[in-house]
Amino acid sequence: MPVVDLPHTRIHLQEMNKGAAETVLMVHGMFTNLSIWYFNIAPILAERYHVVLYDLKGHGMSGRSQHGYDLQSMSDELLALMEALQLTSVYLAGYSYGGLIALKTAIRHPEKIKKLAIIESPNPYEQETMNVVDVYSKELLVHFVNGQGDHSPAKMGKRQLERRHRLYEFLLKESSIRQDMQQERHFFSNGGIKDIPHETLLIYGKDSDCISAGLELQEKIKDARLLFVNGDHNIPVQEPFTIGNALKDFFDTQD
Amino acid sequence: MDQLTQPAKLSEAEILPVLKQFITEVIGEEFVEDLDITAASSFTKDLEMDSIEIVAFSEKVKNYFGKDIDFTGWLSNMDLDQIISLNLGDITKYIQSCL
């Protein structure tokens, strides 16, 4: 299992098309893992780019961490990973909370980002939406585990239920993830988003609860374009090929 | 297991034990003891593997069978629902056809 030891955590990552000249770095959301990109979206991008996927700390196969789920710390983790992989600048894509981490990184280190793609990131001020995202994320896991969602969680195997239960128990009860996410509620209003200079693609589901966040980001970011695709917050699973191709076209296009 | 030398032309019957070994490494021996892993076993329904475990399994397949097969490329043509309902027989057949 490929891992990188960062100052506070061991990070699991996957790379595709390692020899390519330019890199796409992809950040998943809370309560999911890098598999959201791995099967369909990343291979489309890997036709041309070096693609780096990683599990955020506390998620997937990365090490657990009780603290540091705020955007600054998560952005520090992303930057440390870039440094460890000797990536000076990347095309950066983030889904949901991973998109907020991408935005934070673009604000702090614009020189390290070539273009920015934000998929279904919520406005942290809208706690109701954040809770919905939470629920969606849980459903996403169920979806991953059970396929079409035509099996209820009760039909999940014992090992899988226990595994999932342990993840939620740890993140929601033993880590600071909830408080850390709540402390970011003013991120859209005072986080410097309007200063983001990058060409930015915003991708949202037509039926998503996060659409207003997409509209707000489009208004705040100078060079942003908003793309709607069929589906709700789960569009990476619902429309992976549409998203993969949209990202590839966006990164491919030169000004 | 990942570091074995390049596999020669293997039959489907020879590939299956290799895949079983990968599954054991991914989900742990204690869980595999309770499972009857056969060519008909599917990732999620029978083996109870989740998506990140399927990633780990895919990496082991790629590392072991190497450049002879484009396992990720093969999977990338399927949507996630198709991937998680794959059974080991499907994978064995694909690998065998590439060797």
Side-chain angles (χ1 to χ4, degrees):
Chain A
M1 186 175 81
V3 293
V4 172
D5 283 311
L6 299 184
H8 302 293
T9 335
R10 172 166 287 196
I11 293 296
H12 166 231
L13 78 157
Q14 293 291 340
E15 293 180 83
M16 297 181 188
N17 194 10
K18 217 170 168 179
E22 297 185 295
T23 298
V24 177
L25 180 56
M26 313 192 81
V27 194
H28 68 77
M30 286 297 182
F31 308 112
T32 66
N33 54 58
L34 62 77
S35 67
I36 200 164
W37 310 115
Y38 179 90
F39 294 106
N40 300 128
I41 298 173
I44 292 172
L45 294 165
E47 288 169 13
R48 171 164 176 182
Y49 299 96
H50 168 219
V51 179
V52 177
L53 319 172
Y54 72 103
D55 283 330
L56 297 172
K57 63 182 165 192
H59 293 73
M61 294 188 172
S62 285
R64 288 184 167 194
S65 179
Q66 285 184 310
H67 306 288
Y69 293 93
D70 56 286
L71 293 177
Q72 180 88 11
S73 305
M74 298 306 264
S75 167
D76 283 344
E77 179 181 88
L78 189 159
L79 291 162
L81 178 68
M82 281 181 67
E83 198 178 324
L85 298 178
Q86 299 179 312
L87 301 170
T88 49
S89 70
V90 295
Y91 294 100
L92 186 60
Y95 168 63
S96 197
Y97 198 74
L100 301 182
I101 296 167
L103 288 166
K104 183 74 174 182
T105 308
I107 294 166
R108 296 174 66 203
H109 286 282
E111 77 285 0
K112 292 182 187 288
I113 316 295
K114 290 176 180 161
K115 287 187 182 183
L116 197 54
I118 305 298
I119 303 164
E120 275 294 322
S121 290
N123 181 345
Y125 189 75
E126 294 171 18
Q127 281 306 315
E128 209 172 301
T129 311
M130 291 291 271
N131 291 338
V132 169
V133 169
D134 222 28
V135 171
Y136 269 127
S137 304
K138 286 171 192 164
E139 284 177 354
L140 204 62
L141 276 177
V142 173
H143 183 99
F144 277 142
V145 172
N146 287 332
Q148 291 280 6
D150 54 356
H151 302 81
S152 72
K155 287 184 182 170
M156 229 189 280
K158 188 166 173 278
R159 184 180 74 87
Q160 221 33 269
L161 271 174
E162 282 176 1
R163 217 171 110 87
R164 210 160 59 95
H165 183 66
R166 275 201 306 273
L167 171 77
Y168 282 109
E169 281 289 301
F170 173 75
L171 282 175
L172 297 174
K173 293 187 179 166
E174 295 167 38
S175 87
S176 61
I177 198 166
R178 279 206 165 277
Q179 301 91 298
D180 291 347
M181 284 166 80
Q182 274 166 14
Q183 88 175 44
E184 300 294 348
R185 62 189 176 279
H186 297 297
F187 178 59
F188 272 26
S189 52
N190 64 6
I193 286 175
K194 62 179 176 2
D195 298 325
I196 289 177
H198 308 93
E199 195 180 338
T200 303
L201 177 66
L202 307 163
I203 307 179
Y204 282 75
K206 283 177 187 160
D207 301 318
S208 169
D209 293 298
C210 298
I211 282 180
S212 59
L215 294 167
E216 191 172 342
L217 288 175
Q218 185 186 29
E219 200 181 296
K220 283 185 192 295
I221 300 172
K222 283 192 290 288
D223 195 2
R225 182 164 61 87
L226 180 57
L227 172 71
F228 287 112
V229 303
N230 291 326
D232 51 36
H233 190 65
N234 291 341
I235 49 174
V237 173
Q238 293 160 340
E239 291 290 335
F241 301 106
T242 308
I243 290 177
N245 286 313
L247 291 174
K248 186 166 180 289
D249 290 345
F250 171 62
F251 294 144
D252 280 354
T253 311
Q254 299 303 316
D255 288 334
Chain B
M1 194 71 186
D2 291 14
Q3 276 78 44
L4 286 182
T5 50
Q6 188 66 28
K9 184 83 179 168
L10 298 174
S11 68
E12 288 179 29
E14 289 168 317
I15 293 169
L16 189 62
V18 177
L19 301 186
K20 278 187 190 176
Q21 177 59 32
F22 293 161
I23 288 163
T24 306
E25 289 168 10
V26 170
I27 69 176
E29 210 153 329
E30 68 272 32
F31 297 109
V32 170
E33 280 171 8
D34 300 331
L35 296 171
D36 180 23
I37 304 178
T38 69
S41 303
S42 69
F43 277 139
T44 54
K45 207 171 168 195
D46 302 311
L47 302 176
E48 296 184 25
M49 290 168 75
D50 68 13
S51 55
I52 196 70
E53 290 171 331
I54 301 173
V55 170
F57 173 83
S58 304
E59 288 300 309
K60 286 181 181 293
V61 169
K62 274 162 59 180
N63 290 340
Y64 182 75
F65 291 101
K67 60 182 180 347
D68 289 334
I69 68 158
D70 179 15
F71 192 62
T72 315
W74 182 61
L75 293 179
S76 71
N77 292 314
M78 306 175 201
D79 65 30
L80 200 59
D81 293 327
Q82 288 172 295
I83 293 169
I84 61 180
S85 50
L86 278 174
N87 65 40
L88 292 184
D90 300 326
I91 297 165
T92 307
K93 273 195 190 71
Y94 170 71
I95 293 171
Q96 212 277 330
S97 73
C98 298
L99 293 176

